[in-house]
Amino acid sequence: MPAYDPENIFAKILRGEIPATRVYEDDETLAFMDIMPRADGHLLVIPKTPCRNVLDASPEQLAAVMNTVQKLSHAVMKAFGAEGVTIQQFNEAAGGQEVFHMHFHVLPRHEGDRLRPPGQMGDMQEIAAHAEKIRAALA
Ligand code: 5GP
């Protein structure tokens, strides 16, 4: 497996070098909105420490991230009146991974809805409004 590349886009977000719409953070993890949301409220949870994905993550990184994934899953259920949550996670290019800092997708779902296709840039004002709903649900 290749080494962790500190120039990946999520490492830059963690260092504050590029902007992100942050919704939650604690000592070990950060949650922020996906810029190409496949559902309203689509967010990403990452560890603050480096690892490419599940294959090289430590048990401590996995535990911290899953704790935040659960917290944010409850928050999006409340924020969007969702009926379910889809959690997605990809490992290495062959596994569908595009950004090589471990991340979990959290997607609020409603009965019968369909995820939007990947790769479509979201409306930043809408994303900001969705983030505000999530922050309010966490408060
Ligand atoms: P994956 O590696 O899980 O296949 O996909 C990476 C995810 O990161 C995609 O859902 C994509 O929309 C999202 N993404 C890529 N670049 C950025 C970025 O600069 N900012 C944010 N917030 N999300 C990004």
Side-chain angles (χ1 to χ4, degrees):
M1 216 165 87
Y4 179 84
D5 175 7
E7 294 310 312
N8 75 75
I9 201 108
F10 294 167
K12 290 182 180 177
I13 286 174
L14 278 169
R15 292 195 296 266
E17 293 169 9
I18 63 162
T21 307
R22 296 169 176 235
V23 289
Y24 173 82
E25 70 181 295
D26 58 26
D27 287 348
E28 291 144 303
T29 65
L30 172 68
F32 56 96
M33 305 306 287
D34 197 301
I35 46 164
M36 296 180 235
R38 301 195 60 198
D40 290 354
H42 180 177
L43 61 87
L44 303 169
V45 178
I46 65 174
K48 287 187 171 176
T49 48
C51 63
R52 282 175 70 83
N53 51 47
V54 160
L55 298 169
D56 64 340
S58 68
E60 292 77 19
Q61 285 173 313
L62 289 171
V65 166
M66 286 315 296
N67 193 40
T68 300
V69 165
Q70 185 185 43
K71 185 186 284 279
L72 271 295
S73 295
H74 287 305
V76 296
M77 286 288 286
K78 185 173 165 194
F80 296 93
E83 296 163 294
V85 177
T86 297
I87 294 166
Q88 288 183 323
Q89 197 278 323
F90 306 103
N91 300 281
E92 296 301 320
Q97 188 175 11
E98 290 179 356
V99 179
F100 297 96
H101 181 108
M102 182 170 74
H103 55 279
F104 283 71
H105 299 253
V106 176
L107 299 126
R109 304 298 301 274
H110 294 87
E111 200 62 54
D113 71 3
R114 282 195 175 190
L115 292 182
R116 295 193 280 270
Q120 291 182 0
M121 203 65 180
D123 177 301
M124 290 314 287
Q125 278 191 343
E126 259 184 35
I127 289 174
H130 295 154
E132 199 44 53
K133 281 189 178 192
I134 297 167
R135 287 188 208 106
L138 284 164

